[in-house]
Amino acid sequence: MAGSATAGAPPTLRPRGGRSRWYTLRARIIADPRFQRWAAGFPLTRRIARSNTRALFDLCAGFTYSQTLFACLKLDLFALLAEGPVPADLLAARMDLSREASARLLKAAVSLDLIRRLPDGCFVLADLGAALIGNPSISRMIEHHALLYADLSDPVALLRGESGPTRLAGYWPYARGDGAELSTEAVTPYSALMSASQALIAEDIVEAYPFRRHRCLLDVGGGEGAFLSAAAAAAPDLALRLFDLPEVARRAAAQFARSGLADRAQAVGGSFLIDPLPKGADALSLIRVVHDHDDATVRGLLRAAWTALPPGGRLVLAEPMSGTAGAEPITDAYFGFYLLAMGSGHCRTAAELTALLAEAGFQRIREVATRRPLLTRMLVSTR
């Protein structure tokens, strides 16, 4: 048929409106080296030009910054400074570095606002370094990123599906199947990491939603129970149920026993890809689970959640969401490539998640504000 698109044909440019023409002209001007040099010296544009120069360099050097942070963690620099100022020579000795190598690392850490150098030559924690001491789960994630760095060594091959098996796909084996037959050895590394990362946001969620109004909470994909432990503290009368892969559920049951929750917490093993979710709870939570999976899997999971809940039951869905103001690099760059390397899932907007919830049959879907929306946002809906 004349005028129809053919396979392999280049896309047709759409007619450009005023805004498109403006952005095109703006990009053309900024790309001109003569304009860049002029803007860097003109008083009204100097600050913007210098800020853009720094931002562009930070994008180029970001890997170096993250590896500097990784080195600080591996050498326990922040722990060495946790009790107060330490002289440079003593830090070098405790990190088992030469004086020159230690000075190089300390100078780099100061430049990244991780530590401070005092007038007497001692070093002390800066705000970012202190925050890492208070959040050990972040340190676990930073160490884990060695796998992601390896998978991103050729990002174009990763995008084209030409990189072969990735490190992250091996680390998160459930991304390749239902996971029901995974061994203890296969689930132990990622299960422990997931518990550490959930602990970072669990208190924000239980602070935002009153779980005490419910009789029983079922946490699907709950790992070793980090979120349910936080919910238990916030709602002392709440019965707790956890559903995860059989080997993960066994680890959760052992953790409940160690935490003194065995009398009110039950861990059930199964795969939501092939097994029905346990019934009996009037609230069901999906904490940083949905973004790990593609749309077809999410549709099945949400429908299973609808079936498991009684009429009037609540579904609490909490995870990082695309479209969050200020969090675009987190959801669209970091999670975009992380989940690509993992082999499954993507961050969705609140509107996209709302549509999926409505498609599954949930009603009265609303967002509940959380303390740190850059890390996680929450949607609550009713069966």
Side-chain angles (χ1 to χ4, degrees), residues 171-256:
Y171 187 86
W172 302 99
Y174 64 76
R176 305 191 304 272
D178 60 55
E181 302 301 324
L182 291 178
S183 66
T184 299
E185 292 74 19
V187 305
T188 296
Y190 85 76
S191 183
L193 180 66
M194 192 166 70
S195 293
S197 64
Q198 276 199 346
L200 183 64
I201 51 93
E203 291 187 5
D204 289 3
I205 297 170
V206 299
E207 173 190 60
Y209 183 78
F211 287 97
R212 60 185 176 277
R213 68 172 52 171
H214 293 286
R215 173 183 50 80
C216 180
L217 170 64
L218 170 65
D219 188 31
V220 177
E224 296 182 10
F227 172 68
L228 282 184
S229 294
D237 296 326
L238 183 67
L240 311 169
R241 303 289 183 271
L242 182 144
F243 183 83
D244 212 315
L245 297 174
E247 286 299 325
V248 179
R250 276 189 271 274
R251 292 174 62 86
Q255 181 59 40
F256 289 146

Side-chain angles (χ1 to χ4, degrees), residues 16 20-36:
R16 293 182 297 185
S20 296
R21 287 193 294 271
W22 158 244
Y23 282 135
T24 301
L25 176 61
R26 174 189 172 96
R28 188 174 298 147
I29 292 172
I30 293 175
D32 188 334
R34 293 170 298 178
F35 173 80
Q36 295 173 15

Side-chain angles (χ1 to χ4, degrees), residues 82-334:
E83 299 302 321
V86 179
D89 287 347
L90 184 55
L91 284 173
R94 290 184 175 177
M95 292 189 293
D96 194 23
L97 294 176
S98 69
R99 183 176 299 178
E100 292 75 15
S102 177
R104 188 181 298 272
L105 177 62
L106 294 173
K107 191 174 182 179
V110 168
S111 74
L112 297 177
D113 296 323
L114 296 168
I115 64 175
R116 289 192 179 94
R117 187 180 188 276
L118 300 177
D120 62 2
C122 290
F123 290 86
V124 68
L125 287 175
D127 292 351
L128 294 180
L132 285 167
I133 290 289
N135 292 284
S137 58
I138 298 178
S139 300
R140 293 284 300 276
M141 287 301 299
I142 293 168
E143 294 176 350
H144 165 70
H145 282 158
L147 301 178
L148 178 59
Y149 299 152
D151 288 341
L152 288 178
S153 61
D154 187 346
V156 175
L158 182 64
L159 287 164
R160 290 176 174 167
E162 299 170 351
S163 59
T166 61
R167 303 281 188 89
L168 284 180
Y171 187 86
W172 302 99
Y174 64 76
R176 305 191 304 272
D178 60 55
E181 302 301 324
L182 291 178
S183 66
T184 299
E185 292 74 19
V187 305
T188 296
Y190 85 76
S191 183
L193 180 66
M194 192 166 70
S195 293
S197 64
Q198 276 199 346
L200 183 64
I201 51 93
E203 291 187 5
D204 289 3
I205 297 170
V206 299
E207 173 190 60
Y209 183 78
F211 287 97
R212 60 185 176 277
R213 68 172 52 171
H214 293 286
R215 173 183 50 80
C216 180
L217 170 64
L218 170 65
D219 188 31
V220 177
E224 296 182 10
F227 172 68
L228 282 184
S229 294
D237 296 326
L238 183 67
L240 311 169
R241 303 289 183 271
L242 182 144
F243 183 83
D244 212 315
L245 297 174
E247 286 299 325
V248 179
R250 276 189 271 274
R251 292 174 62 86
Q255 181 59 40
F256 289 146
R258 289 191 293 269
S259 302
L261 294 173
D263 60 334
R264 55 186 290 212
Q266 177 187 7
V268 180
S271 169
F272 60 70
L273 295 178
I274 57 176
D275 299 314
L277 299 181
K279 294 186 176 183
D282 61 332
L284 188 152
S285 55
L286 294 169
I287 310 300
R288 293 175 56 160
V289 170
V290 170
H291 72 304
D292 280 358
H293 300 280
D294 296 329
D295 286 352
T297 299
V298 171
R299 286 188 171 94
L301 171 59
L302 294 180
R303 188 61 188 173
W306 188 91
T307 301
L309 284 168
R314 296 290 179 85
L315 173 64
V316 176
L317 188 159
E319 62 179 56
M321 296 185 195
S322 187
T324 302
E328 294 87 353
I330 299 173
T331 58
D332 300 341
Y334 172 76

